[in-house]
């Protein structure tokens, strides 16, 4: 396997999209395994919590943006079999793995190629938009929120799951050590990618604090609230289009 020498830039950078796309294409075959190992399986619990928020008002049409290998989209479909669930991502290699998982589980989700910053969907065409661990990778957060807002129907719901900068205090210190030292080593050994699991902690450190993301949602036309999960390792933001 080719070893990536450099990591994509972090934060909001216009030159980010291509390196992010290349990185996910490279790690796609190992992405699910690494998620389970690096989060000790906790990531699936976060997606289930996000699914409960997403399905609270019994949506008919749900879009999972930056769906990757479709874990969130599949969980949404499993929990709401009557809803139409569409997942979209700009890396075909991730989507292909998602399609294999959907077929193996007998879950009918549509997985389509598309850029979150220019979504290939009509205005007001979804009841719910979700995005798990994808938003942080966007080159332009405001543009991403504007696209979520555009494709949601009035009063539609937005659910964003992300890694905020690690919490403070003793747990935060321990987590930072794990994040900076242990995670990149395991990530490199399992995925063969030098950059991807250095990018992960660096991009998390550069991401806005949860209150700041809630403010950005507000400024983009959402009512917004959030709660922290697992001592602040993850944050679940819920918005309502106004
Ligand atoms: C960390 S993975 C998360 C995948 C999935 N949502 C999950 O919960 O496991 C991030 C995904 O975001 C996608 N992504 C990043 N920027 C994107 C963009 N501008 N448009 C579409 N997908 C994007 C990547 O291709 C990758 O599949």
């Amino acid at each position: 396997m080719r070893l990536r020498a450099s990591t994509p830039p972090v934060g909001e950078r216009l030159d980010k999209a291509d390196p992010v796309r290349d990185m996910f294409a490279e790690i796609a075959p190992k992405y699910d395994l690494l998620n389970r190992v690096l989060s000790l399986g906790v990531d699936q619990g976060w997606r289930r919590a996000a699914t409960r928020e997403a399905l609270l008002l019994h949506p008919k049409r749900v879009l999972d943006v930056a769906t990757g290998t479709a874990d969130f989209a599949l969980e949404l479909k499993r929990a709401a079999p009557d809803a139409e669930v569409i997942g979209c991502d700009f890396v075909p290699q991730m989507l292909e793995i998602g399609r294999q998982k959907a077929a193996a589980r007998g879950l009918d989700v549509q997985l389509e190629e598309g850029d979150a910053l220019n979504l290939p969907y009509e205005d007001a065409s979804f009841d719910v938009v979700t995005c798990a661990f994808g938003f942080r990778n966007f080159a332009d957060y405001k543009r991403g929120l504007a696209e979520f807002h555009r494709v949601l129907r009035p009063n539609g719901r937005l659910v964003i799951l992300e890694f905020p900068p690690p919490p403070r205090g003793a747990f935060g210190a321990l987590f930072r050590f794990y994040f900076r030292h242990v995670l990149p080593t395991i990530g490199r050994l399992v995925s063969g990618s030098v950059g991807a699991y250095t990018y992960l902690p660096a991009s998390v450190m550069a991401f806005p604090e949860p209150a700041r993301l809630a403010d950005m949602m507000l400024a983009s036309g959402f009512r917004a609230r959030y709660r922290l999960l697992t001592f602040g390792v993850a944050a679940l933001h819920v918005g309502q289009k106004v």
Side-chain angles (χ1 to χ4, degrees):
M1 182 184 282
R2 181 171 62 93
L3 288 185
R4 172 179 298 284
S6 61
T7 58
V10 296
E12 292 189 273
R13 288 265 304 257
L14 292 179
D15 56 347
K16 196 177 171 184
D18 284 343
V20 164
R21 203 185 267 121
D22 289 352
M23 181 187 75
F24 281 107
E26 184 184 22
I27 63 170
K30 295 287 166 57
Y31 176 79
D32 285 340
L33 170 66
L34 271 159
N35 262 358
R36 298 305 99 77
V37 171
L38 293 173
S39 79
L40 305 172
V42 178
D43 63 306
Q44 293 291 53
W46 295 331
R47 286 190 196 83
R48 280 194 293 275
T51 297
R52 283 192 289 278
E53 288 284 4
L55 299 181
L56 205 65
L57 302 177
H58 308 291
K60 291 193 177 65
R61 220 166 168 247
V62 181
L63 174 66
D64 183 39
V65 179
T67 195
T69 60
D71 272 344
F72 198 5
L74 292 172
E75 179 59 22
L76 287 159
K77 186 67 185 178
R78 190 197 60 73
D82 292 337
E84 182 185 2
V85 177
I86 298 173
C88 120
D89 198 285
F90 70 1
V91 174
Q93 291 88 339
M94 296 284 276
L95 290 171
E96 194 41 46
I97 292 167
R99 286 189 194 107
Q100 289 165 16
K101 284 156 56 178
R105 294 177 204 176
L107 290 170
D108 181 18
V109 295
Q110 272 167 260
L111 298 178
E112 304 174 339
E113 213 175 314
D115 188 339
L117 303 189
N118 195 12
L119 286 169
Y121 304 106
E122 288 181 12
D123 296 0
S125 52
F126 291 94
D127 303 307
V128 167
V129 169
T130 60
C131 186
F133 310 115
F135 191 80
R136 183 174 26 90
N137 302 296
F138 296 173
D140 182 339
Y141 304 145
K142 210 169 138 192
R143 169 93 195 161
L145 289 171
E147 278 296 88
F148 294 164
H149 194 272
R150 181 183 66 75
V151 300
L152 272 173
R153 65 159 171 77
N155 290 321
R157 188 170 263 235
L158 170 64
V159 175
I160 299 178
L161 192 54
E162 253 311 343
F163 291 120
R168 296 184 179 81
F171 176 77
L174 198 69
F175 185 72
R176 270 168 223 271
F177 179 81
Y178 168 76
F179 219 41
R180 285 203 177 116
H181 303 289
V182 182
L183 181 148
T185 307
I186 299 175
R188 190 185 66 240
L189 291 174
V190 178
S191 75
S193 166
V194 176
Y197 291 86
T198 319
Y199 167 79
L200 171 60
S203 65
V204 168
M205 303 294 175
F207 194 62
E209 294 286 344
R212 168 91 191 99
L213 176 55
D215 283 348
M216 289 166 67
M217 290 169 67
L218 214 63
S220 298
F222 294 96
R223 270 190 209 105
R225 62 180 162 84
Y226 70 88
R227 68 189 157 98
L228 302 179
L229 306 175
T230 317
F231 310 111
V233 171
L236 180 55
H237 284 74
V238 180
Q240 186 190 359
K241 175 172 171 171
V242 285

